[in-house]
Amino acid sequence: MSHSVTITRTTTSTTNTSYIVLNTGYIKTFPGILKLFQLLIGVAVVTLMAMHYSDSVYYRQQQYLFHYLMATTFMIGTFCLFLACLTSLSTGGLIAKTIYELIYHSVAAILLLVSSACLLIKLRDNRHDAYMAAGVLGLVNTVLYFISAFLAHRSYRGI
C-alpha cells in the first residue's frame, strides 16, 4: 500500500539566553501577528473597562459586566497561547494543527461579538465615550478572532 507524505520545513530564529528560549520567528508569522494584536486590543478593552467601571448601580448592569468578563477571559487565554508559542520552538507549529485553536478562536469570536453588540446596544441611549470605544475595540477584536478561527480551520489536521 502506498501513501504520500508531506514534509514541511519551518525555519525559526531564536534569541537564546541561559534559561529562556524565545521563538522570535513566531512573531513574524501572520498567526503570531494576529495573536499579538488580539492581546494588545484585549489589554486596551480591559483597561478602558477597568478605569471607568464604577460602584454605582447603573454601571453594574449585565452588559458592562459581560463585556468586561469576556474581554478579560480572552485576553488571558490569548496571552497564554501567545506565551506558549513564543517560548517554545515547536508549539507554534503544533498547536495550529490541533482542534484547540479552532474551538478557542471560534468561541472567542462569538462571545466577543455578543458582548460587544450588547454593550453597544445598551449605549445607544446613553453615550459614554470610554465604553463606546471598548465596544468598538471588542468588535475589531472579534474580526481578528474570526480570521484566526479561519486560519485554524485551514491548518487543522484531524489526526
Side-chain angles (χ1 to χ4, degrees):
M1 174 192 306
S2 66
H3 61 278
S4 62
V5 176
T6 304
I7 298 173
T8 305
R9 187 172 290 177
T10 304
T11 305
T12 59
S13 60
T14 62
T15 303
N16 193 359
T17 61
S18 58
Y19 298 106
I20 298 174
V21 175
L22 289 180
N23 184 3
T24 56
Y26 181 73
I27 300 174
K28 298 173 186 171
T29 65
F30 191 61
I33 293 169
L34 273 175
K35 280 186 186 61
L36 180 63
F37 282 130
Q38 290 164 356
L39 181 61
L40 293 175
I41 292 173
V43 168
V45 171
V46 169
T47 302
L48 283 170
M49 296 297 288
M51 285 175 42
H52 298 285
Y53 199 77
S54 175
D55 289 333
S56 70
V57 176
Y58 177 74
Y59 292 108
R60 282 187 277 164
Q61 294 177 0
Q62 292 98 357
Q63 295 87 350
Y64 298 95
L65 185 59
F66 182 51
H67 189 63
Y68 193 15
L69 289 174
M70 291 303 101
T72 304
T73 299
F74 295 115
M75 179 195 68
I76 292 170
T78 301
F79 173 74
C80 291
L81 266 175
F82 185 69
L83 188 64
C85 292
L86 193 63
T87 57
S88 172
L89 295 176
S90 61
T91 301
L94 288 177
I95 203 162
K97 293 177 177 71
T98 65
I99 193 83
Y100 176 76
E101 272 215 4
L102 177 60
I103 292 171
Y104 174 78
H105 292 300
S106 299
V107 169
I110 291 167
L111 287 175
L112 281 174
L113 176 65
V114 170
S115 71
S116 297
C118 287
L119 181 64
L120 292 173
I121 289 169
K122 178 69 178 171
L123 289 172
R124 71 175 178 223
D125 298 331
N126 192 359
R127 303 211 187 273
H128 287 92
D129 292 337
Y131 289 123
M132 189 71 76
V136 170
L137 284 174
L139 290 177
V140 170
N141 224 0
T142 297
V143 171
L144 295 179
Y145 278 111
F146 271 127
I147 292 170
S148 290
F150 176 74
L151 291 176
H153 177 66
R154 281 188 30 204
S155 66
Y156 168 64
R157 301 181 199 250
I159 298 173

